[in-house]
Amino acid sequence: MNIIRTVRSVAFSSIPNRTLSTTRSLSTPSAQYTAFEVNDKTGIATLTLNRPPVNSLNLELLTEMRNCLKDAETNKCKGLIITSSSNSVFTAGLDLLEMYQPQDERVKSFWTALQSMWMELYGSKIPTAAAINGHAPAGGCLIATACEYRVMLPNFTIGLNETLIGIVAPKWFVSAFLNVVPRRVAEQAITQGKLFTTAEAHHVGLVDDVVNTKEEAIAKCEQFIASFKNVNPYARALTKQQFRIKELQELEQQREKDLQIFLGLIMQPSVQKAMGIYLEGLKKKSKKQ
Amino acid sequence: MNIIRTVRSVAFSSIPNRTLSTTRSLSTPSAQYTAFEVNDKTGIATLTLNRPPVNSLNLELLTEMRNCLKDAETNKCKGLIITSSSNSVFTAGLDLLEMYQPQDERVKSFWTALQSMWMELYGSKIPTAAAINGHAPAGGCLIATACEYRVMLPNFTIGLNETLIGIVAPKWFVSAFLNVVPRRVAEQAITQGKLFTTAEAHHVGLVDDVVNTKEEAIAKCEQFIASFKNVNPYARALTKQQFRIKELQELEQQREKDLQIFLGLIMQPSVQKAMGIYLEGLKKKSKKQ
Amino acid sequence: MNIIRTVRSVAFSSIPNRTLSTTRSLSTPSAQYTAFEVNDKTGIATLTLNRPPVNSLNLELLTEMRNCLKDAETNKCKGLIITSSSNSVFTAGLDLLEMYQPQDERVKSFWTALQSMWMELYGSKIPTAAAINGHAPAGGCLIATACEYRVMLPNFTIGLNETLIGIVAPKWFVSAFLNVVPRRVAEQAITQGKLFTTAEAHHVGLVDDVVNTKEEAIAKCEQFIASFKNVNPYARALTKQQFRIKELQELEQQREKDLQIFLGLIMQPSVQKAMGIYLEGLKKKSKKQ
């Protein structure tokens, strides 16, 4: 299975308007890789990752995501749904081009942006849900597990597969995974670099529900968010924080150290070489098409 | 569903004597809201909450409970069962009258008594079991999860529903809940303020068994306590402590801070107002009957 | 069920050679209670406990085990399988003779050797698997839960049954158990001193698979180890460490205190007396046979 296949054919603008409600965009004019809309009827925000072909997470996309997350909170949205404009990839994870022969300042900004986006999402005061309408390896799994609810379309894969490519999932990737699945399952899966199929992910609780279409996935997320309609939002936020404050504080206190570990990891000659070979392969493949 | 309905018709004295064994009361003459009996044959103590109509936890009830728990330990009972004299409510949780327009000293004593009772129960050296013969929201769930075993009658509800009434379950409420159910289940349920039906509670492991009558529930608790009959009580107590010492120490070290958080929470004008409206509604309903 | 029955009839040398591959022994000539072989074809090491009749863990066996574990890592074996030469007992746990009327230096060395062996196994950089081909109470369960994978033959038992014999499973025994099964299951089982049957152990996840023969058990372990064949070993080791470093550090920092707790526990007159009676019973039984 090639989860990195080109999906340029799915233009973002072709996404059908799901509801009759009007939606308004809160995105700044500079939004390049995301679409951010708030449904005026439900008050629910939808953040659509839109960086074809595979929503690779680069500095700009991560920065936009964080800004959208902050906007959703500031605007007191009822909840936030994250999904993808692609019909085969939720996100393929971190953009290798950010890590291959990187410029010092850029790569630091990149990792810091990932930390900031994750802290914003994992600690968000509003209900968060992932409509996983495509593959979600590595960074894709990180985003999904940072949400409070996950629904997935069939026949895709999700997991922290870092060990397969010779790197180590940072501690906070693991912590968020452990917030969702039992420790026994997590240890085996993450050491193996296991990518769960949708059915396997559902079986172990890594995703909560499975539906057949993106529309149904969005609807499930809306149902989840609606389950809080009688709940005091302030009390809800403080309660959620009780479950997540430890991981957030740990990363906050270790940001610089976490950055240095990441840099030490990717700057190893063997890792740089592996990335180079991989990217060369992608280029050749791209030319053939 | 109205879990606060009046159940005055169930007089405590009408509870049939379950066994032919003699029982003796260890309660002090001043016991007002509880009955505490030790079965001479089995050595098992039963603490029955008896503050009609819904066993609202006030300062006196909490103080009596703690004294009973200490007595059971001091008298080296084989185990302790907590149940209710009502046939519809285990306990409806904290008494709002303790928190509405409270006197400073009284409300502090109230919360401190709740902390003390919980530490005594959660850390009890002897086996503890809850025969949940009625609804167990909020404080009722807190008491149930502090025990080592839970059996419940059908068609009642249990859960930490604090967010529904605009308050936040303290950290130790959450810790005890997490001692019983998986983290994924706990986060979703407590942020939603979910009240589990008996069947749902059984499905997620929040209760261990379901039976049809109070007598069967007591019998199940006795079976659980009997499972330790070949176990060294001292070794058992130290082993149990290994599982629970962390939460006990955390609360012990944070008692004053926890009290201040509670006071800050309930003294908010919006919370006081909500309690006032709720209590006014109860009064009117009571007059109609 | 008598799990201490004599199994001398199973001579270690009679174990059939499972594969056609050549194996080489890495054991030092002094190996007395273990056999340690590496399959040249698969690169997988097998450590067979071989101290008839019941593989009681004494100072020498624990020291040999630790040396084998270190050898397997140093030799970059693909993985390590632990099994028993007995066909009825994996290991019966700690050797009572080490704890009954002990010499001061010897008993300290004994406990320190147990700590060292466990830290080596729990923190091993290579994949570890237990082929549990017999009963595994107490120390046997400790060894099994320190591995990453467990497969068990039917109709045996496994568990931390310390409370049944009046002692307390140390904190690190409990931690490793909690790495495998849910907290609710662990608290009840360890306070009860519960020995799970193979079927029960499988049901709660204490073992991952059940097969009918030792050969199938070894094959299952080999499959588990092979699941890492595409994984970078260095990344795998660091990832595993993220899951286990906390327990390893805790014991490392508490070794002396843990030793003193152990000595205080076994030197209690009541515990010494109980061991004496137990050992006397074993002697008589042995003479009758």
PDB file of all heavy atoms in Angstrom, chain B residues 71-100:
ATOM      1  N   ASP B  71     -14.468   2.483  63.098  1.00  0.00           N
ATOM      2  CA  ASP B  71     -14.883   1.408  63.997  1.00  0.00           C
ATOM      3  C   ASP B  71     -14.676   0.035  63.349  1.00  0.00           C
ATOM      4  O   ASP B  71     -14.206  -0.908  63.995  1.00  0.00           O
ATOM      5  CB  ASP B  71     -16.368   1.558  64.363  1.00  0.00           C
ATOM      6  CG  ASP B  71     -16.585   2.652  65.409  1.00  0.00           C
ATOM      7  OD1 ASP B  71     -15.576   3.154  65.957  1.00  0.00           O
ATOM      8  OD2 ASP B  71     -17.747   2.996  65.660  1.00  0.00           O
ATOM      9  N   ALA B  72     -15.049  -0.064  62.087  1.00  0.00           N
ATOM     10  CA  ALA B  72     -14.926  -1.350  61.389  1.00  0.00           C
ATOM     11  C   ALA B  72     -13.469  -1.807  61.350  1.00  0.00           C
ATOM     12  O   ALA B  72     -13.156  -2.987  61.527  1.00  0.00           O
ATOM     13  CB  ALA B  72     -15.495  -1.240  59.974  1.00  0.00           C
ATOM     14  N   GLU B  73     -12.569  -0.859  61.136  1.00  0.00           N
ATOM     15  CA  GLU B  73     -11.144  -1.192  61.124  1.00  0.00           C
ATOM     16  C   GLU B  73     -10.644  -1.564  62.513  1.00  0.00           C
ATOM     17  O   GLU B  73      -9.960  -2.566  62.695  1.00  0.00           O
ATOM     18  CB  GLU B  73     -10.338  -0.001  60.598  1.00  0.00           C
ATOM     19  CG  GLU B  73      -9.908  -0.156  59.168  1.00  0.00           C
ATOM     20  CD  GLU B  73      -8.836   0.856  58.781  1.00  0.00           C
ATOM     21  OE1 GLU B  73      -7.942   1.177  59.597  1.00  0.00           O
ATOM     22  OE2 GLU B  73      -8.904   1.300  57.638  1.00  0.00           O
ATOM     23  N   THR B  74     -10.999  -0.732  63.474  1.00  0.00           N
ATOM     24  CA  THR B  74     -10.544  -0.947  64.849  1.00  0.00           C
ATOM     25  C   THR B  74     -11.031  -2.305  65.371  1.00  0.00           C
ATOM     26  O   THR B  74     -10.318  -3.007  66.084  1.00  0.00           O
ATOM     27  CB  THR B  74     -11.082   0.178  65.770  1.00  0.00           C
ATOM     28  OG1 THR B  74     -10.752   1.421  65.179  1.00  0.00           O
ATOM     29  CG2 THR B  74     -10.500   0.067  67.167  1.00  0.00           C
ATOM     30  N   ASN B  75     -12.251  -2.653  65.002  1.00  0.00           N
ATOM     31  CA  ASN B  75     -12.828  -3.915  65.462  1.00  0.00           C
ATOM     32  C   ASN B  75     -12.416  -5.099  64.584  1.00  0.00           C
ATOM     33  O   ASN B  75     -12.943  -6.193  64.729  1.00  0.00           O
ATOM     34  CB  ASN B  75     -14.348  -3.793  65.501  1.00  0.00           C
ATOM     35  CG  ASN B  75     -14.811  -2.961  66.682  1.00  0.00           C
ATOM     36  OD1 ASN B  75     -14.875  -3.458  67.796  1.00  0.00           O
ATOM     37  ND2 ASN B  75     -15.065  -1.676  66.446  1.00  0.00           N
ATOM     38  N   LYS B  76     -11.492  -4.844  63.657  1.00  0.00           N
ATOM     39  CA  LYS B  76     -10.976  -5.905  62.769  1.00  0.00           C
ATOM     40  C   LYS B  76     -12.093  -6.692  62.104  1.00  0.00           C
ATOM     41  O   LYS B  76     -12.074  -7.951  62.096  1.00  0.00           O
ATOM     42  CB  LYS B  76     -10.024  -6.821  63.533  1.00  0.00           C
ATOM     43  CG  LYS B  76      -8.842  -6.011  64.082  1.00  0.00           C
ATOM     44  CD  LYS B  76      -7.669  -6.858  64.473  1.00  0.00           C
ATOM     45  CE  LYS B  76      -6.496  -5.945  64.826  1.00  0.00           C
ATOM     46  NZ  LYS B  76      -5.401  -6.598  65.490  1.00  0.00           N
ATOM     47  N   CYS B  77     -13.078  -5.964  61.603  1.00  0.00           N
ATOM     48  CA  CYS B  77     -14.128  -6.628  60.836  1.00  0.00           C
ATOM     49  C   CYS B  77     -13.499  -7.268  59.601  1.00  0.00           C
ATOM     50  O   CYS B  77     -12.450  -6.848  59.124  1.00  0.00           O
ATOM     51  CB  CYS B  77     -15.193  -5.618  60.409  1.00  0.00           C
ATOM     52  SG  CYS B  77     -16.143  -5.012  61.820  1.00  0.00           S
ATOM     53  N   LYS B  78     -14.164  -8.306  59.076  1.00  0.00           N
ATOM     54  CA  LYS B  78     -13.628  -9.010  57.905  1.00  0.00           C
ATOM     55  C   LYS B  78     -13.775  -8.188  56.631  1.00  0.00           C
ATOM     56  O   LYS B  78     -13.095  -8.449  55.630  1.00  0.00           O
ATOM     57  CB  LYS B  78     -14.364 -10.343  57.726  1.00  0.00           C
ATOM     58  CG  LYS B  78     -14.110 -11.348  58.841  1.00  0.00           C
ATOM     59  CD  LYS B  78     -12.654 -11.741  58.907  1.00  0.00           C
ATOM     60  CE  LYS B  78     -12.405 -12.750  60.029  1.00  0.00           C
ATOM     61  NZ  LYS B  78     -10.971 -12.896  60.308  1.00  0.00           N
ATOM     62  N   GLY B  79     -14.719  -7.247  56.693  1.00  0.00           N
ATOM     63  CA  GLY B  79     -14.945  -6.401  55.539  1.00  0.00           C
ATOM     64  C   GLY B  79     -16.080  -5.464  55.839  1.00  0.00           C
ATOM     65  O   GLY B  79     -16.707  -5.563  56.902  1.00  0.00           O
ATOM     66  N   LEU B  80     -16.338  -4.526  54.917  1.00  0.00           N
ATOM     67  CA  LEU B  80     -17.387  -3.534  55.131  1.00  0.00           C
ATOM     68  C   LEU B  80     -18.222  -3.399  53.870  1.00  0.00           C
ATOM     69  O   LEU B  80     -17.678  -3.287  52.767  1.00  0.00           O
ATOM     70  CB  LEU B  80     -16.757  -2.186  55.461  1.00  0.00           C
ATOM     71  CG  LEU B  80     -17.773  -1.043  55.583  1.00  0.00           C
ATOM     72  CD1 LEU B  80     -18.165  -0.854  57.041  1.00  0.00           C
ATOM     73  CD2 LEU B  80     -17.235   0.231  54.982  1.00  0.00           C
ATOM     74  N   ILE B  81     -19.540  -3.410  54.062  1.00  0.00           N
ATOM     75  CA  ILE B  81     -20.463  -3.216  52.947  1.00  0.00           C
ATOM     76  C   ILE B  81     -21.204  -1.896  53.165  1.00  0.00           C
ATOM     77  O   ILE B  81     -21.693  -1.637  54.254  1.00  0.00           O
ATOM     78  CB  ILE B  81     -21.491  -4.374  52.880  1.00  0.00           C
ATOM     79  CG1 ILE B  81     -20.761  -5.702  52.650  1.00  0.00           C
ATOM     80  CG2 ILE B  81     -22.527  -4.115  51.792  1.00  0.00           C
ATOM     81  CD1 ILE B  81     -21.644  -6.935  52.851  1.00  0.00           C
ATOM     82  N   ILE B  82     -21.262  -1.077  52.116  1.00  0.00           N
ATOM     83  CA  ILE B  82     -22.043   0.165  52.197  1.00  0.00           C
ATOM     84  C   ILE B  82     -23.293   0.006  51.342  1.00  0.00           C
ATOM     85  O   ILE B  82     -23.210  -0.418  50.187  1.00  0.00           O
ATOM     86  CB  ILE B  82     -21.234   1.384  51.718  1.00  0.00           C
ATOM     87  CG1 ILE B  82     -19.958   1.537  52.557  1.00  0.00           C
ATOM     88  CG2 ILE B  82     -22.073   2.657  51.793  1.00  0.00           C
ATOM     89  CD1 ILE B  82     -19.145   2.775  52.224  1.00  0.00           C
ATOM     90  N   THR B  83     -24.439   0.325  51.903  1.00  0.00           N
ATOM     91  CA  THR B  83     -25.687   0.267  51.146  1.00  0.00           C
ATOM     92  C   THR B  83     -26.625   1.358  51.642  1.00  0.00           C
ATOM     93  O   THR B  83     -26.229   2.197  52.472  1.00  0.00           O
ATOM     94  CB  THR B  83     -26.322  -1.138  51.228  1.00  0.00           C
ATOM     95  OG1 THR B  83     -27.375  -1.230  50.269  1.00  0.00           O
ATOM     96  CG2 THR B  83     -26.848  -1.443  52.623  1.00  0.00           C
ATOM     97  N   SER B  84     -27.846   1.379  51.120  1.00  0.00           N
ATOM     98  CA  SER B  84     -28.792   2.452  51.431  1.00  0.00           C
ATOM     99  C   SER B  84     -30.095   1.889  51.977  1.00  0.00           C
ATOM    100  O   SER B  84     -30.525   0.804  51.588  1.00  0.00           O
ATOM    101  CB  SER B  84     -29.069   3.254  50.156  1.00  0.00           C
ATOM    102  OG  SER B  84     -30.241   4.026  50.277  1.00  0.00           O
ATOM    103  N   SER B  85     -30.744   2.635  52.850  1.00  0.00           N
ATOM    104  CA  SER B  85     -32.054   2.220  53.363  1.00  0.00           C
ATOM    105  C   SER B  85     -33.170   2.546  52.369  1.00  0.00           C
ATOM    106  O   SER B  85     -34.283   2.045  52.494  1.00  0.00           O
ATOM    107  CB  SER B  85     -32.341   2.912  54.697  1.00  0.00           C
ATOM    108  OG  SER B  85     -32.459   4.309  54.495  1.00  0.00           O
ATOM    109  N   SER B  86     -32.861   3.366  51.403  1.00  0.00           N
ATOM    110  CA  SER B  86     -33.847   3.718  50.369  1.00  0.00           C
ATOM    111  C   SER B  86     -33.907   2.612  49.326  1.00  0.00           C
ATOM    112  O   SER B  86     -32.931   1.912  49.090  1.00  0.00           O
ATOM    113  CB  SER B  86     -33.422   5.028  49.707  1.00  0.00           C
ATOM    114  OG  SER B  86     -34.022   5.181  48.452  1.00  0.00           O
ATOM    115  N   ASN B  87     -35.066   2.465  48.683  1.00  0.00           N
ATOM    116  CA  ASN B  87     -35.094   1.483  47.591  1.00  0.00           C
ATOM    117  C   ASN B  87     -34.971   2.130  46.216  1.00  0.00           C
ATOM    118  O   ASN B  87     -35.198   1.498  45.201  1.00  0.00           O
ATOM    119  CB  ASN B  87     -36.331   0.578  47.668  1.00  0.00           C
ATOM    120  CG  ASN B  87     -37.603   1.402  47.556  1.00  0.00           C
ATOM    121  OD1 ASN B  87     -37.540   2.603  47.279  1.00  0.00           O
ATOM    122  ND2 ASN B  87     -38.734   0.756  47.782  1.00  0.00           N
ATOM    123  N   SER B  88     -34.593   3.412  46.196  1.00  0.00           N
ATOM    124  CA  SER B  88     -34.407   4.039  44.885  1.00  0.00           C
ATOM    125  C   SER B  88     -33.152   4.905  44.790  1.00  0.00           C
ATOM    126  O   SER B  88     -32.714   5.231  43.701  1.00  0.00           O
ATOM    127  CB  SER B  88     -35.630   4.881  44.522  1.00  0.00           C
ATOM    128  OG  SER B  88     -35.814   5.887  45.488  1.00  0.00           O
ATOM    129  N   VAL B  89     -32.570   5.274  45.923  1.00  0.00           N
ATOM    130  CA  VAL B  89     -31.388   6.134  45.887  1.00  0.00           C
ATOM    131  C   VAL B  89     -30.306   5.585  46.823  1.00  0.00           C
ATOM    132  O   VAL B  89     -30.570   5.354  48.007  1.00  0.00           O
ATOM    133  CB  VAL B  89     -31.736   7.586  46.301  1.00  0.00           C
ATOM    134  CG1 VAL B  89     -30.489   8.452  46.250  1.00  0.00           C
ATOM    135  CG2 VAL B  89     -32.812   8.163  45.399  1.00  0.00           C
ATOM    136  N   PHE B  90     -29.118   5.359  46.252  1.00  0.00           N
ATOM    137  CA  PHE B  90     -27.963   4.972  47.071  1.00  0.00           C
ATOM    138  C   PHE B  90     -27.579   6.213  47.878  1.00  0.00           C
ATOM    139  O   PHE B  90     -27.686   6.244  49.094  1.00  0.00           O
ATOM    140  CB  PHE B  90     -26.849   4.483  46.148  1.00  0.00           C
ATOM    141  CG  PHE B  90     -25.594   4.038  46.826  1.00  0.00           C
ATOM    142  CD1 PHE B  90     -25.583   2.909  47.628  1.00  0.00           C
ATOM    143  CD2 PHE B  90     -24.401   4.730  46.640  1.00  0.00           C
ATOM    144  CE1 PHE B  90     -24.403   2.489  48.259  1.00  0.00           C
ATOM    145  CE2 PHE B  90     -23.232   4.315  47.250  1.00  0.00           C
ATOM    146  CZ  PHE B  90     -23.238   3.203  48.062  1.00  0.00           C
ATOM    147  N   THR B  91     -27.126   7.251  47.198  1.00  0.00           N
ATOM    148  CA  THR B  91     -27.124   8.599  47.755  1.00  0.00           C
ATOM    149  C   THR B  91     -27.131   9.575  46.589  1.00  0.00           C
ATOM    150  O   THR B  91     -26.488   9.335  45.564  1.00  0.00           O
ATOM    151  CB  THR B  91     -25.946   8.924  48.701  1.00  0.00           C
ATOM    152  OG1 THR B  91     -25.658  10.333  48.613  1.00  0.00           O
ATOM    153  CG2 THR B  91     -24.704   8.171  48.360  1.00  0.00           C
ATOM    154  N   ALA B  92     -27.864  10.666  46.752  1.00  0.00           N
ATOM    155  CA  ALA B  92     -27.964  11.658  45.686  1.00  0.00           C
ATOM    156  C   ALA B  92     -26.757  12.588  45.657  1.00  0.00           C
ATOM    157  O   ALA B  92     -26.676  13.472  44.817  1.00  0.00           O
ATOM    158  CB  ALA B  92     -29.247  12.465  45.862  1.00  0.00           C
ATOM    159  N   GLY B  93     -25.804  12.366  46.585  1.00  0.00           N
ATOM    160  CA  GLY B  93     -24.594  13.189  46.574  1.00  0.00           C
ATOM    161  C   GLY B  93     -24.614  14.255  47.650  1.00  0.00           C
ATOM    162  O   GLY B  93     -25.370  14.167  48.621  1.00  0.00           O
ATOM    163  N   LEU B  94     -23.781  15.262  47.473  1.00  0.00           N
ATOM    164  CA  LEU B  94     -23.624  16.301  48.492  1.00  0.00           C
ATOM    165  C   LEU B  94     -24.927  17.064  48.713  1.00  0.00           C
ATOM    166  O   LEU B  94     -25.662  17.349  47.773  1.00  0.00           O
ATOM    167  CB  LEU B  94     -22.514  17.272  48.067  1.00  0.00           C
ATOM    168  CG  LEU B  94     -21.150  16.629  47.807  1.00  0.00           C
ATOM    169  CD1 LEU B  94     -20.123  17.698  47.460  1.00  0.00           C
ATOM    170  CD2 LEU B  94     -20.698  15.800  48.996  1.00  0.00           C
ATOM    171  N   ASP B  95     -25.186  17.413  49.942  1.00  0.00           N
ATOM    172  CA  ASP B  95     -26.384  18.155  50.307  1.00  0.00           C
ATOM    173  C   ASP B  95     -26.218  19.618  49.894  1.00  0.00           C
ATOM    174  O   ASP B  95     -25.351  20.325  50.407  1.00  0.00           O
ATOM    175  CB  ASP B  95     -26.588  18.050  51.823  1.00  0.00           C
ATOM    176  CG  ASP B  95     -27.948  18.566  52.249  1.00  0.00           C
ATOM    177  OD1 ASP B  95     -28.541  19.383  51.507  1.00  0.00           O
ATOM    178  OD2 ASP B  95     -28.420  18.152  53.320  1.00  0.00           O
ATOM    179  N   LEU B  96     -27.089  20.055  48.988  1.00  0.00           N
ATOM    180  CA  LEU B  96     -26.979  21.445  48.501  1.00  0.00           C
ATOM    181  C   LEU B  96     -27.142  22.453  49.643  1.00  0.00           C
ATOM    182  O   LEU B  96     -26.576  23.544  49.586  1.00  0.00           O
ATOM    183  CB  LEU B  96     -28.038  21.725  47.435  1.00  0.00           C
ATOM    184  CG  LEU B  96     -27.826  21.115  46.049  1.00  0.00           C
ATOM    185  CD1 LEU B  96     -28.852  21.678  45.074  1.00  0.00           C
ATOM    186  CD2 LEU B  96     -26.419  21.419  45.538  1.00  0.00           C
ATOM    187  N   LEU B  97     -27.908  22.096  50.647  1.00  0.00           N
ATOM    188  CA  LEU B  97     -28.131  23.026  51.756  1.00  0.00           C
ATOM    189  C   LEU B  97     -26.839  23.344  52.509  1.00  0.00           C
ATOM    190  O   LEU B  97     -26.741  24.360  53.193  1.00  0.00           O
ATOM    191  CB  LEU B  97     -29.175  22.452  52.726  1.00  0.00           C
ATOM    192  CG  LEU B  97     -30.592  22.349  52.131  1.00  0.00           C
ATOM    193  CD1 LEU B  97     -31.528  21.629  53.095  1.00  0.00           C
ATOM    194  CD2 LEU B  97     -31.132  23.740  51.783  1.00  0.00           C
ATOM    195  N   GLU B  98     -25.841  22.452  52.374  1.00  0.00           N
ATOM    196  CA  GLU B  98     -24.535  22.740  52.991  1.00  0.00           C
ATOM    197  C   GLU B  98     -23.762  23.780  52.192  1.00  0.00           C
ATOM    198  O   GLU B  98     -22.797  24.360  52.684  1.00  0.00           O
ATOM    199  CB  GLU B  98     -23.685  21.458  53.087  1.00  0.00           C
ATOM    200  CG  GLU B  98     -24.221  20.408  54.027  1.00  0.00           C
ATOM    201  CD  GLU B  98     -24.009  20.758  55.495  1.00  0.00           C
ATOM    202  OE1 GLU B  98     -23.657  21.911  55.804  1.00  0.00           O
ATOM    203  OE2 GLU B  98     -24.196  19.853  56.342  1.00  0.00           O
ATOM    204  N   MET B  99     -24.171  23.959  50.920  1.00  0.00           N
ATOM    205  CA  MET B  99     -23.371  24.806  50.032  1.00  0.00           C
ATOM    206  C   MET B  99     -24.088  26.095  49.639  1.00  0.00           C
ATOM    207  O   MET B  99     -23.490  27.018  49.122  1.00  0.00           O
ATOM    208  CB  MET B  99     -23.008  24.010  48.777  1.00  0.00           C
ATOM    209  CG  MET B  99     -22.185  22.753  49.098  1.00  0.00           C
ATOM    210  SD  MET B  99     -21.671  21.829  47.641  1.00  0.00           S
ATOM    211  CE  MET B  99     -23.138  20.843  47.337  1.00  0.00           C
ATOM    212  N   TYR B 100     -25.401  26.154  49.912  1.00  0.00           N
ATOM    213  CA  TYR B 100     -26.173  27.344  49.533  1.00  0.00           C
ATOM    214  C   TYR B 100     -26.168  28.343  50.690  1.00  0.00           C
ATOM    215  O   TYR B 100     -26.569  28.007  51.810  1.00  0.00           O
ATOM    216  CB  TYR B 100     -27.611  26.938  49.184  1.00  0.00           C
ATOM    217  CG  TYR B 100     -28.477  28.097  48.757  1.00  0.00           C
ATOM    218  CD1 TYR B 100     -28.137  28.874  47.644  1.00  0.00           C
ATOM    219  CD2 TYR B 100     -29.628  28.420  49.474  1.00  0.00           C
ATOM    220  CE1 TYR B 100     -28.934  29.941  47.261  1.00  0.00           C
ATOM    221  CE2 TYR B 100     -30.435  29.487  49.090  1.00  0.00           C
ATOM    222  CZ  TYR B 100     -30.081  30.249  47.989  1.00  0.00           C
ATOM    223  OH  TYR B 100     -30.872  31.308  47.607  1.00  0.00           O
TER     224      TYR B 100
END
